[in-house]
Amino acid sequence: YQKDWLISTILSFIEDGIKIKGKEFDNEKLKEVKEIFITISKNEKSQINDFKDLSMTALNNVKGKLYSCLIEYSLCNSRRLPSSTESVGFWDKEIKDIVLNKLADQTDNVLIFHTLGKYLLNIGYLDKDWLINNFPKIFPIENEKCWSAAIDGYFFYQVDPLEFIFDLFANNKHFELALRKDFENISGHAKKNIVTCICIAYLLDYKVVQLNSELLKTLLGTKTEYVYSNIIYFFWDPHKRIGSKYLKKVKDIWEYLYNDCIKMTSPENDKVFLSCSSKWLNTVDKLDDKVYEIIKNSIVFLNQRDRYFVLEILDKHAKDSTKYVAEILLLIFTKEITYDGRE
C-alpha cells in the first residue's frame, strides 16, 4: 500500500508539471519525466481499488493516474514540436507503443480503456490516423467489460458530437449496443450524454442521424425511462439553447414520435411521452395546424405536473395563435385533472 501511495504521489506531482500552465517542466526535465513514466509502466503491479464508479476509480488508482499522465505528457510534448510534425502525428512513439501494449491486455485492466475514452479527442489531435486505425481496439465490442469502460470514459466527459468521431461510433453500431443493453460500467451521466449527443447530431443534420436512419430509429424505439426522459428534456429546451434554424427539425421529430406513441404499443411509456412532450410548445416558434393536432390529441394523457408547464407556455403563443390556444385551454380544463393526479 505504501509503495502504491508513493508512486501515486509522484505521478500527481509530475502531472502538475506537464498539465498546468506556468508550472510546465523545461525540455530537459520533460525527457526525464518520460523515462520515469516508462519505468513505472514497466514495473508497477498495483491492484485496482474499485470505487464503483470508473471516473473515481481512475483518479484514485496508480494505473489510472499513470495512463492519464502518459496522455498529458504527449500533449505537453506536442506543444513544443514544430507545426510541420502534424503530418506524421504529435504522439511520441514510445508512449504510443506503451498504450498499444496495454490495450492488448484485456484481462482486467479496464482503466486503460476508460482513460483512452476520456482522452479520445486529445488522441485525435495527437494522431488522427492512429485513432481511426485503432478505434476498434479502444472500443472492443467483443469484450463488453473493456468496451463499456471506454464508452463511459468518453461519454462521461463529452456530449458535443465531433462529426468524424461520431461517425466512428455510429458506423460501427456502438450507439445501438449502448442503448439496447444496460451495462454496469456505463454511468447514468454517460448514458444521458449518449442520448443528448445523438439529439445534437440530429439537429446538426449529420448524415447518419436522419429522421429515418437506423440510429435514430433505435434511439426513438428504445422506450426506457432514461432514454425518453432525456429526449423530452432536450427538446423541451427550457434554457433556450436550440437556435431558430433548428426548429423545423424539432417539429419533425415531434411528429415522428407522436405518430408512434399514439398507437400505444408501449402504453405506460407512450402516455408519459405524450404528456411530457406537450412542453415542446416551449421550443417551436409557431402553434400551427400540425402542432395543434398533436397537442389536441395528447391532452387526454396530460398529467398534473406537465399541465402547469403547458398552461405557462401557451401564453407565448396566445397573440399569434389565439384560436388554437383558446381551444387547447378548453380541452385542458374539460379534462379536469385534480391536484393528486387523479382524473
Side-chain angles (χ1 to χ4, degrees):
Y1 172 80
Q2 289 181 335
K3 182 181 177 181
D4 289 350
W5 175 86
L6 178 60
I7 295 172
S8 180
T9 303
I10 291 170
L11 289 171
S12 295
F13 170 76
I14 294 175
E15 191 172 22
D16 285 349
I18 56 177
K19 187 176 181 180
I20 300 177
K21 288 185 178 180
K23 292 187 176 181
E24 291 178 330
F25 297 120
D26 59 34
N27 289 339
E28 286 304 312
K29 285 190 172 61
L30 201 58
K31 292 178 182 178
E32 294 176 15
V33 163
K34 175 182 170 181
E35 293 305 315
I36 292 172
F37 288 159
I38 292 173
T39 300
I40 293 175
S41 179
K42 288 179 178 178
N43 295 287
E44 74 87 20
K45 305 293 182 184
S46 64
Q47 297 297 312
I48 297 175
N49 297 313
D50 188 1
F51 284 74
K52 305 301 180 185
D53 180 299
L54 280 175
S55 61
M56 288 298 295
T57 302
L59 288 171
N60 291 281
N61 278 271
V62 170
K63 283 183 169 64
K65 285 191 176 185
L66 173 62
Y67 303 149
S68 290
C69 283
L70 292 175
I71 307 299
E72 291 291 351
Y73 163 82
S74 300
L75 292 169
C76 181
N77 188 53
S78 73
R79 293 191 285 270
R80 306 177 188 207
L81 296 174
S83 57
S84 58
T85 311
E86 185 174 3
S87 61
V88 294
F90 291 114
W91 205 350
D92 182 278
K93 185 181 183 303
E94 287 182 275
I95 300 297
K96 194 189 299 185
D97 288 343
I98 290 173
V99 170
L100 275 173
N101 289 334
K102 297 293 183 183
L103 276 177
D105 179 15
Q106 297 185 8
T107 51
D108 61 354
N109 190 6
V110 295
L111 293 186
I112 184 64
F113 295 90
H114 187 271
T115 302
L116 293 180
K118 175 182 176 180
Y119 284 97
L120 199 68
L121 297 184
N122 302 107
I123 294 170
Y125 159 75
L126 291 170
D127 192 334
K128 184 177 179 180
D129 289 339
W130 186 93
L131 168 59
I132 293 171
N133 293 333
N134 288 279
F135 195 83
K137 294 180 182 178
I138 300 172
F139 297 92
I141 289 179
E142 71 282 358
N143 186 322
E144 287 189 356
K145 188 176 181 181
C146 296
W147 173 85
S148 58
I151 289 288
D152 184 74
Y154 182 76
F155 286 103
F156 188 89
Y157 296 97
Q158 299 294 333
V159 66
D160 295 327
L162 184 64
E163 190 165 10
F164 97 87
I165 287 182
F166 188 91
D167 287 348
L168 287 171
F169 282 119
N171 293 333
N172 293 287
K173 307 297 182 183
H174 293 280
F175 286 119
E176 284 89 337
L177 181 58
L179 290 167
R180 285 176 176 158
K181 186 174 178 181
D182 189 23
F183 293 93
E184 182 181 353
N185 278 341
I186 303 179
S187 64
H189 182 69
K191 290 177 183 177
K192 172 182 177 294
N193 282 350
I194 290 171
V195 176
T196 302
C197 183
I198 297 172
C199 290
I200 294 173
Y202 163 74
L203 288 183
L204 294 176
D205 207 28
Y206 286 6
K207 290 180 181 179
V208 292
V209 207
Q210 299 300 309
L211 197 56
N212 290 312
S213 65
E214 286 302 313
L215 174 54
L216 208 60
K217 285 180 180 178
T218 299
L219 174 68
L220 303 182
T222 307
K223 297 188 176 184
T224 61
E225 183 180 352
Y226 92 85
V227 169
Y228 263 18
S229 63
N230 284 302
I231 292 174
I232 289 164
Y233 185 82
F234 179 85
F235 290 108
W236 173 25
D237 191 31
H239 300 295
K240 297 292 183 182
R241 293 171 180 165
I242 297 177
S244 58
K245 65 180 179 180
Y246 303 115
L247 297 186
K248 183 183 182 303
K249 292 187 74 72
V250 176
K251 286 183 182 180
D252 289 345
I253 198 169
W254 191 0
E255 183 181 14
Y256 180 97
L257 278 164
Y258 164 78
N259 288 335
D260 177 62
C261 290
I262 203 68
K263 297 173 187 175
M264 291 292 151
T265 55
S266 178
E268 185 176 349
N269 289 315
D270 290 337
K271 289 177 182 179
V272 169
F273 175 81
L274 291 169
S275 174
C276 294
S277 64
S278 298
K279 294 181 291 189
W280 293 3
L281 268 172
N282 181 64
T283 309
V284 299
D285 56 343
K286 186 179 180 181
L287 206 174
D288 57 20
D289 296 352
K290 190 177 291 184
V291 173
Y292 170 70
E293 285 299 314
I294 292 174
I295 293 293
K296 182 181 74 172
N297 295 320
S298 299
I299 281 175
V300 67
F301 307 106
L302 198 63
N303 63 42
Q304 182 70 20
R305 179 184 58 189
D306 295 328
R307 175 179 183 254
Y308 169 81
F309 287 110
V310 171
L311 288 172
E312 191 176 63
I313 294 166
L314 282 171
D315 183 58
K316 165 186 171 181
H317 299 282
K319 184 177 179 180
D320 296 328
S321 307
T322 307
K323 181 176 180 291
Y324 283 155
V325 168
E327 291 179 4
I328 291 170
L329 286 171
L330 283 173
L331 289 169
I332 289 175
F333 290 119
T334 299
K335 188 172 185 291
E336 291 185 356
I337 301 178
T338 61
Y339 284 101
D340 63 1
R342 293 174 299 178
E343 299 180 13

